[in-house]
Amino acid sequence: MSKLNSLDDPKLFLDSKQLGKLIKLLAENGYDVIGPVCRDNAIIYNHIDDVSQLPRGWSDQQGAAYYRLKKDQHDLYFNYTVGPNSLKTFLFPPFIELWQAQKKPGGIKINYNHDKIKKTAVIGLRACELAALAVHDRVLTKDKYKDHDYEQRRKNIFIIGVICTRAGGTCFCVSMGTGPQINSGYDIALTEIKRGDSHGFVAEPGSEKGRSILTLLRARRAKQDDLNAAAEAISRAETGMQLSLDTKSIPTRLAVNVESPHWDKVAERCLACSNCTMVCPTCFCTTVIDSTDLTGMTASRSRKWDSCFRLDYSYIHGGSIRQSIKSRYRQWLTHKLSSWVDQFGTFGCVGCGRCITWCPVGINMVEEAKAVIESDKKTESLIKVEE
């Protein structure tokens, strides 16, 4: 999906009453629709059938180790930031069976996992999440060894992105260059605006499929007042961001500070619980599980999410390479903000802030990265030598 020429496709205005029609239209076109819903005191992505399931009138408050929902007086559909799950849950599932072997009279029959992949439409994805999707596309489909399950699911997805009009307490997408404006990777991009009795969305097609859907909805051309209101809302999200990270030299700065004494301080707090990697939209570590039934007639191999914070994750013959929590946290943070750049040409972090919100002890990766590179007086001299 590539962004279309805005001169050929002017931005449109979609009345809020049309949102329900959009969901039904997608379902009628064979899509399994996924959108944000309130469940278990959080806003998560889940299967939806009707516009009434969207979290209209709800907002969120986020901070380090803090997440709360609250009723929102603005009565908007998307006046929240990101919840604990992401598109990764659906494109790179937590658990899949790879194959199953059954002992038969004539030998062993192997059945590979060739589940029919459904067409899926996702509504509500934010700019940081689309940036994470681009990271997964690069890692999982662009190299010699592709993840074919991910690739098939990716080909069958329709994306309706929503541009953030408010910043969350742990967001830093502006620093990472991943938001709040959505620039690519969508079929339709929406910006929710409300002025007086007027409530709707500035809509922009990002693909032929998106254009066709908007045509069927008969969305009118956006007026200048609509565009101004959308631009003001996006600007509020940009300026409202409380966290920032200077990414220009951070890959090198972290690389030369792998022995910083600050890693020990982080390790004193870190529980190695893996929460940060489970909620992260770009983490893709997995492990393989082999199992058999009690009769020995059936064996299977499955894949499930894993985490570099687990002691056994780095296990090889003789033991685990990263014995300490310090070494595992350092591996995670330097991979996200340093070595990932060497591997794939981008950061492994998109600034969504999930790892900060859902860390039970409130470790803030932005502040920890700053503390590491500021804790060693040798940093500046080493950077200058490299430059």
Side-chain angles (χ1 to χ4, degrees):
M1 291 175 289
S2 59
K3 189 175 180 182
L4 301 180
N5 190 322
S6 59
L7 296 177
D8 297 331
D9 286 274
K11 292 183 179 180
L12 307 172
F13 180 82
L14 190 69
D15 189 272
S16 62
K17 296 177 182 178
Q18 294 284 78
L19 193 58
K21 294 181 181 179
L22 171 59
I23 293 171
K24 291 187 182 302
L25 188 58
L26 291 168
E28 290 170 1
N29 279 270
Y31 288 101
D32 183 15
V33 184
I34 292 169
V37 300
C38 288
R39 197 181 80 180
D40 299 330
N41 297 315
I43 294 176
I44 66 166
Y45 290 114
N46 205 352
H47 300 279
I48 61 173
D49 303 304
D50 189 81
V51 68
S52 63
Q53 295 172 269
L54 296 177
R56 183 173 186 176
W58 286 96
S59 187
D60 57 4
Q61 294 178 314
Q62 297 193 41
Y66 184 88
Y67 182 98
R68 295 291 186 276
L69 291 185
K70 65 174 184 176
K71 290 296 290 183
D72 177 32
Q73 62 179 355
H74 299 293
D75 198 32
L76 301 174
Y77 282 103
F78 301 103
N79 197 31
Y80 61 91
T81 51
V82 293
N85 74 335
S86 64
L87 187 58
K88 179 176 76 170
T89 307
F90 303 94
L91 292 184
F92 195 70
F95 183 92
I96 62 170
E97 186 176 78
L98 301 174
W99 54 260
Q100 186 182 91
Q102 295 178 319
K103 184 182 281 188
K104 302 288 185 180
I108 295 176
K109 181 181 179 181
I110 298 178
N111 299 310
Y112 291 95
N113 178 16
H114 292 305
D115 292 341
K116 185 177 180 181
I117 305 299
K118 296 180 180 179
K119 290 169 56 178
T120 303
V122 185
I123 183 170
L125 293 176
R126 306 309 174 97
C128 60
E129 298 181 290
L130 293 181
L133 180 61
V135 169
H136 269 188
D137 287 347
R138 167 65 185 86
V139 175
L140 300 173
T141 69
K142 303 299 183 184
D143 287 330
K144 180 179 179 181
Y145 300 102
K146 298 181 179 181
D147 187 301
H148 293 291
D149 182 78
Y150 174 88
E151 188 175 44
Q152 291 304 309
R153 294 174 190 273
R154 181 70 174 88
K155 289 178 180 177
N156 285 276
I157 194 167
F158 184 96
I159 292 174
I160 301 174
V162 172
I163 299 175
C164 289
T165 55
R166 62 178 287 267
T170 58
C171 302
F172 55 104
C173 64
V174 172
S175 294
M176 306 309 296
T178 58
Q181 178 68 56
I182 295 175
N183 295 311
S184 62
Y186 59 88
D187 293 292
I188 297 174
L190 302 176
T191 307
E192 188 171 15
I193 57 174
K194 189 174 184 180
R195 293 165 296 144
D197 295 332
S198 176
H199 180 200
F201 305 88
V202 171
E204 186 174 6
S207 70
E208 294 291 345
K209 292 185 293 185
R211 185 200 288 126
S212 298
I213 292 291
L214 289 175
T215 300
L216 292 172
L217 290 171
R218 298 180 181 179
R220 67 165 172 82
R221 185 163 184 164
K223 299 176 182 178
Q224 191 58 49
D225 287 348
D226 300 323
L227 300 178
N228 291 342
E232 290 172 7
I234 297 169
S235 179
R236 285 197 301 270
E238 290 179 350
T239 57
M241 220 147 285
Q242 300 173 30
L243 296 177
S244 63
L245 188 63
D246 181 6
T247 58
K248 186 176 181 180
S249 61
I250 199 166
T252 303
R253 287 173 176 265
L254 283 177
V256 300
N257 276 296
V258 292
E259 299 300 331
S260 166
H262 189 75
W263 296 117
D264 293 292
K265 296 180 181 179
V266 183
E268 291 175 0
R269 300 170 58 202
C270 179
L271 304 176
C273 67
S274 303
N275 266 23
C276 53
T277 57
M278 295 297 104
V279 298
C280 177
T282 64
C283 281
F284 56 90
C285 291
T286 59
T287 188
V288 171
I289 301 171
D290 292 326
S291 58
T292 61
D293 65 0
L294 292 176
T295 66
M297 299 296 290
T298 302
S300 65
R301 171 164 289 182
S302 303
R303 185 188 75 189
K304 73 170 187 175
W305 287 356
D306 204 351
S307 173
C308 57
F309 278 88
R310 280 201 328 115
L311 178 62
D312 288 345
Y313 184 76
S314 64
Y315 183 88
I316 59 173
H317 178 67
S320 295
I321 295 173
R322 301 184 185 97
Q323 293 280 336
S324 66
I325 292 179
K326 166 188 171 180
S327 64
R328 298 198 289 277
Y329 185 87
R330 179 176 58 193
Q331 155 66 19
W332 176 75
L333 186 63
T334 56
H335 191 203
K336 290 291 180 186
L337 298 177
S338 182
S339 56
W340 202 304
V341 178
D342 296 330
Q343 284 181 286
F344 306 113
T346 62
F347 286 103
C349 171
V350 294
C352 70
R354 284 183 173 94
C355 60
I356 303 171
T357 298
W358 297 99
C359 173
V361 295
I363 295 176
N364 185 327
M365 72 174 296
V366 172
E367 299 305 323
E368 299 306 332
K370 290 179 181 178
V372 167
I373 62 180
E374 292 170 1
S375 64
D376 193 336
K377 295 180 180 179
K378 297 184 294 182
T379 299
E380 291 300 329
S381 59
L382 287 169
I383 293 293
K384 288 178 181 179
V385 168
E386 183 166 313
E387 291 176 346

